[in-house]
Amino acid sequence: MSVVSTDEGVRWSRYVAVGDSFTEGLWDSPDGRAPADPTAPLRGWADVLAARLSARRVAAGGAPLEYANLAIRGRLLRPILRDQVPAALGLEPDLVSLIGGGNDILRPAADVDRLARDLEAAVARLRAAGVDVLLGTGVDTVDSGLLRATRSRVATYNTHIWSIAHRHGAHVLDLWGMRSLRDWRMWADDRIHLTTQGHARVAQAALVALGLPPDEERWDDPLAPQPPTPRLDRLRGDARWAREHVYPWATRRLHGRSSGDTRTPKRPAAAPVTSEEG
């Protein structure tokens, strides 16, 4: 694979994204269809990042970036590492984003230290193959109501991620530190997945994590403040969220099912990225 060296450091020629729904791209539908539409095509931050990297390669006189996305919603970390990482290595990438563990941490009995050990073994395997790795922290859930209960587990896992990155020379997408993601307008109705605007902000953060300049100087600026939501409206919103999102999730868990059980990767083969895809 050819390597392009430019002042912006776009040296990767084949990028493979692995992970869960965050990397699959829920709920970023480029054609504007509602997130609940199961047939809606998904884009997401990894797709946007690939398009940005590809555009910079082409501008520097290189070939378009080749890109695959193996992420599947609902996946726990071990299946990601067992199934997706070997498949990614088989595509011979020079850049892999490996972000997972969030679905595990939603479970109160999650063993965060074990998650970190498993993750580090996969990072070491990728780095030994000469692959650059982009990891990602969890988001700060301090403002997230019920999800706030996971905050200490997320923080511990994040600390492991930064240590793993230092030991193995990996890059880190710092979602915990993103100010813009503290605004609920960046999040879909399920309060777990990003909106199109949220995915766009994360793609900019990924460029920064890779040591590249972002497309927008003020990419992480918070949105303009909005009036506080009346208490009754908040309570109604919480009840609707529990009914429409928490209950179905809990029901799937009780029956040992996942939202991604019947799904396959949306982009299983590495193919050139066009400017229209970002």
Side-chain angles (χ1 to χ4, degrees):
M1 293 181 290
S2 63
V3 176
V4 173
S5 297
T6 74
D7 292 340
E8 294 185 348
V10 184
R11 60 187 181 274
W12 303 285
S13 61
R14 186 172 297 162
Y15 164 39
V16 179
V18 302
D20 52 28
S21 58
F22 173 67
T23 300
E24 186 186 352
L26 275 67
W27 292 110
D28 182 8
S29 177
D31 66 358
R33 273 187 272 177
D37 183 351
T39 67
L42 298 176
R43 182 172 49 192
W45 70 270
D47 295 39
V48 177
L49 172 64
R52 297 293 183 266
L53 294 176
S54 188
R56 295 183 187 198
R57 283 178 54 85
V58 171
L65 179 82
E66 294 183 354
Y67 168 59
N69 189 319
L70 309 182
I72 298 177
R73 66 192 68 178
R75 289 295 190 263
L76 299 174
L77 183 62
R78 278 194 168 176
I80 292 171
L81 303 181
R82 181 192 65 225
D83 303 330
Q84 296 180 25
V85 169
L89 281 168
L91 295 174
E92 299 184 341
D94 46 17
L95 174 65
V96 166
S97 59
L98 169 53
I99 301 178
N103 289 316
D104 302 79
I105 289 173
L106 286 173
R107 292 155 168 76
D111 184 342
V112 177
D113 296 325
R114 190 209 73 193
L115 294 175
R117 289 194 297 272
D118 293 344
L119 179 67
E120 182 161 18
V123 172
R125 181 180 179 185
L126 289 164
R127 295 295 290 137
V131 179
D132 284 339
V133 177
L134 175 64
L135 301 173
T137 70
V139 175
D140 190 352
T141 58
V142 65
D143 302 317
S144 304
L146 288 175
L147 295 179
R148 187 173 182 174
T150 68
R151 192 175 189 236
S152 62
R153 296 196 293 275
V154 173
T156 301
Y157 191 47
N158 288 352
T159 302
H160 279 300
I161 286 170
W162 283 106
S163 297
I164 292 167
H166 284 305
R167 282 193 289 270
H168 298 280
H171 305 272
V172 178
L173 170 55
D174 184 15
L175 300 171
W176 180 283
M178 289 185 64
R179 298 169 299 168
S180 57
L181 296 188
R182 297 286 296 273
D183 191 313
W184 280 107
R185 287 170 287 182
M186 294 289 178
W187 296 89
D189 289 344
D190 66 5
R191 305 184 184 181
I192 294 177
H193 299 104
L194 295 167
T195 62
T196 293
Q197 187 175 16
H199 280 287
R201 297 284 187 114
V202 169
Q204 294 300 308
L207 287 170
V208 173
L210 292 171
L212 303 173
D215 296 318
E216 306 166 15
E217 183 178 350
R218 305 177 68 87
W219 60 271
D220 195 32
D221 282 0
L223 299 177
Q226 60 183 353
T229 304
R231 183 172 183 274
L232 182 58
D233 289 347
R234 290 202 309 272
L235 292 174
R236 286 172 175 166
D238 289 345
R240 184 172 59 253
W241 171 66
R243 181 177 63 253
E244 296 178 0
H245 299 288
V246 177
Y247 177 75
W249 175 82
T251 300
R252 287 195 300 271
R253 274 203 62 198
L254 286 172
H255 291 88
R257 299 197 306 266
S258 165
S259 58
D261 281 347
T262 61
R263 300 190 72 90
T264 56
K266 67 178 185 179
R267 192 175 178 127
V273 178
T274 65
S275 58
E276 289 78 11
E277 294 182 68

